[in-house]
Amino acid sequence: MAKGDVVDRAEGFLKKNLETMPQKKRTEYQNQKLRGIVLYAYKNSVAFRNKMDSARLKPRDIQTIKDLEKIPITKKTDLMELQQKNPPFGGFEGVPVTEMRRIFISPGPIYEPGEADYDELGWAQGMYAGGFRPGDIVINTFSYHMVPFALQMVDNSLHMIGCISIPTGVGNTEQQVNILKSFKATGYCGTPSFLLNIAEKAEEMGLDLKEDLSLKAGFVAAEMLPESLRSKLEEKFGMIIRQTYGTADIRCLGYECMKKNGMHIPDDKIVEIIDPETGKQLGPGKIGEIVATTFNKTYPLIRFGTGDLSILSETPCPCGRTSPRLIKIMGRVDQATKVRGLFIHPGQVNEVASRYPQVANYQIVIKRKEDKDEMIFRIELQEEVRQPEKLKQEIEQSIRDVMKVRGDVQFIPKGTLPEGAKKIEDQRTWE
Ligand SMILES: [Zn+2]
């Protein structure tokens, strides 16, 4: 327990009966849920029915998790393609739009049916496992506009536990510090690098992070969390930091408990680790793509390929939760990668470059500097330009417009980039 904290944040469960089910019971529980959602989605989601029909499958063919192998995997690119053909949701929605409380838009763009009623357990289970307790006052620094994470998922989940959320959103570091201080806030939701920004700002303002602030639990996502950064933040604030993993489309897919033993898969999600080439399940211990199935009736994605690589573990966790765990995220199946929590695709890099006829050759390099992602757009020009500084600024603005992430432009001599160089070169290491 952290110094001065009277709350026991280490023990207990949000939904004990679900989180501690014996393995056999869990499989039965999930198979039953799976049959239900397959039947529901077949009736209510045009995209899913088409997928089943094209594979000559009927709902009765899917009885168990193993049977999922018969269903072709849906990728993010399929979502975008089908949404263009059949706007706005590509037929993936499971309820009429009039029944949705909200609609979200993620980069791509991908249109996401919001909830009818938010009842997803994953993130709330994760927050509880990570030390959040009823009565915690929490700043939620994820972005609230357009994308679903902050408003729909984090905010609703805090409410499910009985926490009080302050929707601070991104940026305004100094104001965030003042808010933390005024409310003696005990919880933080956001990226690890932004928490580091807050720590630096608070120190700059002459505050003692442990004495003047009251943070006890942090729930971080959307970026890698190297152990060095975690322990640095935990020590600075005297708080617990646990990470979670998921996507906007399929929501929570894993969360850490106090034992830091990989990420527990929520009880209302089926996660397969598959061979990306064959689509077959690999079982525990083998690296493969994370493919997930949700029981969400508003947006019933079945066998959604995340493109992320991980390894599954079924060995018992000393925390008492019986769910299998994802042993860290190992990288991307394809070239797309995340920078400061947002996906960037080679297509976006091409899009930026195509706006400037002066550009001959280019590559994005992603680095890690002082625990923050850094994106450098290396460019070879056709010929010398008269005002390179002006061009640099214009391209940097286009990067922000197209990729939604800040990047630095660096002009390099012609012929520097090797032939066939990757459009996105990820040089980050995670020690
Ligand atoms: Zn555990």
Side-chain angles (χ1 to χ4, degrees):
M1 208 182 295
K3 181 180 153 253
D5 194 5
V6 292
V7 182
D8 178 6
R9 299 179 183 276
E11 300 294 323
F13 307 88
L14 184 73
K15 299 277 177 197
K16 191 174 181 191
N17 58 333
L18 288 176
E19 289 167 42
T20 60
M21 290 188 272
Q23 190 53 43
K24 205 172 155 225
K25 205 174 150 201
R26 176 180 301 280
T27 307
E28 278 167 23
Y29 172 82
Q30 292 199 322
N31 283 342
Q32 190 199 341
K33 287 263 196 190
L34 174 64
R35 291 191 285 269
I37 196 69
V38 165
L39 200 60
Y40 179 89
Y42 191 79
K43 275 191 199 146
N44 296 284
S45 155
V46 180
F48 182 65
R49 190 166 55 246
N50 288 344
K51 180 147 279 197
M52 291 285 278
D53 289 348
S54 68
R56 301 179 182 221
L57 293 168
K58 292 285 179 216
R60 64 169 178 274
D61 296 318
I62 310 302
Q63 296 290 319
T64 66
I65 295 171
K66 184 72 187 159
D67 292 332
L68 277 172
E69 284 187 343
K70 300 173 192 165
I71 303 176
I73 288 164
T74 300
K75 296 184 172 177
K76 230 179 177 77
T77 47
D78 300 336
L79 285 182
M80 288 196 263
E81 231 169 75
L82 280 169
Q83 289 196 346
Q84 271 169 14
K85 276 189 207 151
N86 180 17
F89 300 116
F92 284 96
E93 72 275 25
V95 300
V97 68
T98 47
E99 282 179 33
M100 292 170 198
R101 196 190 294 173
R102 300 190 180 98
I103 293 167
F104 295 99
I105 295 108
S106 285
I110 295 176
Y111 298 145
E112 281 146 5
E115 74 280 22
D117 228 343
Y118 193 84
D119 56 2
E120 182 120 346
L121 283 174
W123 308 108
Q125 287 181 317
M127 288 170 184
Y128 200 96
F132 284 63
R133 291 295 178 268
D136 276 328
I137 296 177
V138 182
I139 60 164
N140 180 3
T141 71
F142 287 111
S143 171
Y144 270 81
H145 66 276
M146 307 283 256
V147 294
F149 192 47
L151 173 62
Q152 183 201 41
M153 306 184 192
V154 176
D155 219 284
N156 276 322
S157 302
L158 287 168
H159 185 68
M160 276 168 140
I161 299 178
C163 300
I164 299 94
S165 95
I166 309 181
T168 54
V170 282
N172 304 312
T173 322
E174 188 169 337
Q175 199 183 7
Q176 305 262 10
V177 174
N178 289 330
I179 291 166
L180 284 174
K181 192 163 174 266
S182 303
F183 290 96
K184 295 188 167 48
T186 42
Y188 169 85
C189 291
T191 62
S193 61
F194 190 57
L195 185 56
L196 184 63
N197 287 350
I198 289 179
E200 286 163 0
K201 176 59 78 175
E203 281 168 345
E204 203 184 293
M205 290 160 72
L207 298 179
D208 182 306
L209 299 184
K210 285 182 190 157
E211 297 299 326
D212 299 320
L213 301 181
S214 313
L215 281 176
K216 295 292 177 279
F219 188 67
V220 302
E223 279 181 2
M224 291 285 191
L225 176 67
E227 282 308 319
S228 54
L229 177 58
R230 187 206 308 259
S231 42
K232 183 167 157 185
L233 290 168
E234 286 187 329
E235 277 163 30
K236 268 180 181 288
F237 285 100
M239 71 190 293
I240 303 159
I241 309 241
R242 290 295 177 271
Q243 63 183 326
T244 185
Y245 161 73
T247 79
D249 335 82
I250 203 119
R251 305 179 182 171
C252 184
L253 292 176
Y255 59 83
E256 286 182 320
C257 63
M258 285 298 134
K259 306 293 175 193
K260 289 194 278 187
N261 201 4
M263 286 182 278
H264 284 280
I265 295 165
D267 305 295
D268 53 12
K269 215 60 62 68
I270 293 172
V271 169
E272 306 164 75
I273 295 291
I274 62 124
D275 179 331
E277 308 215 311
T278 64
K280 298 288 178 214
Q281 294 167 7
L282 289 171
K286 297 211 179 75
I287 182 165
E289 183 179 357
I290 302 169
V291 168
T293 294
T294 170
F295 306 134
N296 172 5
K297 288 187 173 171
T298 317
Y299 193 12
L301 287 174
I302 292 165
R303 277 213 120 195
F304 181 73
T306 62
D308 287 327
L309 297 165
S310 187
I311 295 174
L312 202 66
S313 170
E314 288 180 351
T315 57
C317 183
C319 75
R321 287 174 184 80
T322 52
S323 51
R325 302 181 311 283
L326 293 170
I327 305 302
K328 84 184 253 193
I329 308 304
M330 332 283 286
R332 295 287 302 157
V333 174
D334 51 26
Q335 270 192 308
T337 187
K338 262 182 184 172
V339 176
R340 292 195 288 273
L342 286 175
F343 271 114
I344 60 164
H345 299 261
Q348 294 173 303
V349 186
N350 298 341
E351 150 93 2
V352 172
S354 70
R355 294 182 179 189
Y356 300 92
Q358 305 95 316
V359 171
N361 205 355
Y362 50 94
Q363 179 185 53
I364 290 242
V365 177
I366 304 160
K367 291 183 176 176
R368 196 75 179 157
K369 203 175 163 193
E370 285 158 16
D371 286 317
K372 284 167 200 166
D373 289 340
E374 212 184 17
M375 187 169 88
I376 301 140
F377 204 155
R378 306 172 74 204
I379 293 173
E380 295 179 14
L381 293 171
Q382 299 283 11
E383 53 191 45
E384 292 247 333
V385 289
R386 239 181 279 159
Q387 293 176 291
E389 197 50 38
K390 187 165 169 279
L391 180 64
K392 175 171 148 59
Q393 281 171 11
E394 285 173 15
I395 301 177
E396 285 176 348
Q397 184 57 48
S398 295
I399 295 173
R400 276 196 294 274
D401 292 344
V402 174
M403 309 175 85
K404 314 292 176 207
V405 189
R406 200 167 31 77
D408 295 321
V409 166
Q410 203 180 74
F411 294 124
I412 52 173
K414 217 169 168 182
T416 311
L417 292 172
E419 207 168 312
K422 278 195 222 162
K423 284 291 172 251
I424 299 175
E425 175 76 32
D426 195 344
Q427 295 181 352
R428 292 171 293 189
T429 52
W430 305 102
E431 266 72 66

